[in-house]
Amino acid sequence: MATKKKLSNNKYSISWMDHAFGTYRRFVFNGNLEEASTKVKKLQTIQDAYKNRVPVERDERQDISLDKLMNLFFSEGISNIEIERGHKFSENTIIGYRQSVKRLINTYGPDQIISKMDINTFKDRNRHLEKTSINRDLNVLSRICNWGKKNDHLSKSPVIVHYKIEHKEIKYLEEDDIRIIQAVASKEEYRLFRFFLISGFRRAEISAFTIDRVKRTLTVTGKGNKVRTVYITKECLDILSQWDEGIPPYDYDQIKYVLKKLSDKAEIGFSTHTLRRTCGSLMLSSGCSIDQVADHLGHSDTKITRRHYAKLMESKREEAVELFEKRLNYLISSPVSTNSLQS
């Protein structure tokens, strides 16, 4: 039986049994009591019809367009999911969702019927993107479709097959690479390059930080709304001072464009994520602990950091044994003091 439960003013939790899929569904409905009651009555009619095998009108959910479902998701879905989870999406997550949706609509057009989408079309027309980027867009589509089905906006999702990605060896820039890139960079390219190299920021974090000039720290909101404090160098603080209000004058896509231009100029392939990994490798090479690197980069677990820098950690262990051996040899070869013998 379809039921409703009041959550707050003009907000109801509606539950019903979708016999078409054999699934019990629940969603948050935004509207007044009369509208909620009408919705429940309609769902009850559909529920009874499927249960009793009574012919019903064509299910309009099958014909929903890409643009319509996306608009519903951003107007209703995000707030619904936030209520269910008990916390808000980060601004960066919403920006990422919007960028993925924009690429989907640019590929298929706003009137594309979702149930008839061919995912290979998206892959073919976006071959210039990395497979990880395509998979990220497909993940967004999958999540929105799942929300649409759960909340009675969509009855059938397209078949979504992701690329299989082999985990490549973590790549970071060597010191010679850094020198070459810096030598060919313009002033502004240099600033942006050094900022990401020092801060270890993700590209999406560029719009979500505050500066404490006295403590020389940046407080940034990263993945999963996790807030971390990043200690920065005097150089990084000087770079921020050269930008209005300490904010880099670039949005998410512009950063990629500027650094890609610099990458082509230097003939060395790198991205903001390469600079993030390089930041970690330089910190480890400088004697920072694995915990300090994990905190700086915002890794949720030091296991992630260890996995990313496994080879570098191995070489550091070899260096540590060499230093240990030198110390032991010094203890063997150095003379024993007279005072220690007398005691």
Side-chain angles (χ1 to χ4, degrees), residues 171 173 177 180-181 184-185 189 193 255-272 274-275:
K171 180 177 178 287
L173 298 176
D177 294 330
I180 292 170
I181 293 167
V184 300
E189 288 170 343
F193 176 84
I255 291 168
K256 184 176 181 179
Y257 172 78
V258 172
L259 292 181
K260 176 66 167 64
K261 187 178 174 183
L262 176 57
S263 172
D264 292 342
K265 198 190 301 185
E267 297 183 350
I268 297 172
F270 72 91
S271 63
T272 51
T274 312
L275 297 181

Side-chain angles (χ1 to χ4, degrees), residues 17 36 41 62 87 129 138 147 156 183 192 195 210-211 228 246 252 260 265 275 301 320 326 330:
M17 181 65 190
K41 187 175 179 180
Q62 294 179 358
H87 63 80
L129 298 176
L138 294 179
W147 171 83
K156 184 181 178 182
L192 193 63
F195 173 78
T210 56
I211 309 169
R228 73 180 187 277
Y252 185 86
K260 176 66 167 64
K265 198 190 301 185
L275 297 181
D301 193 320
K326 286 180 181 179
Y330 171 75

Side-chain angles (χ1 to χ4, degrees), residues 220-235:
V220 58
T221 303
K223 279 186 176 179
N225 279 334
K226 183 181 177 183
V227 179
R228 73 180 187 277
T229 298
V230 176
Y231 287 85
I232 56 173
T233 63
K234 184 178 181 300
E235 178 195 351

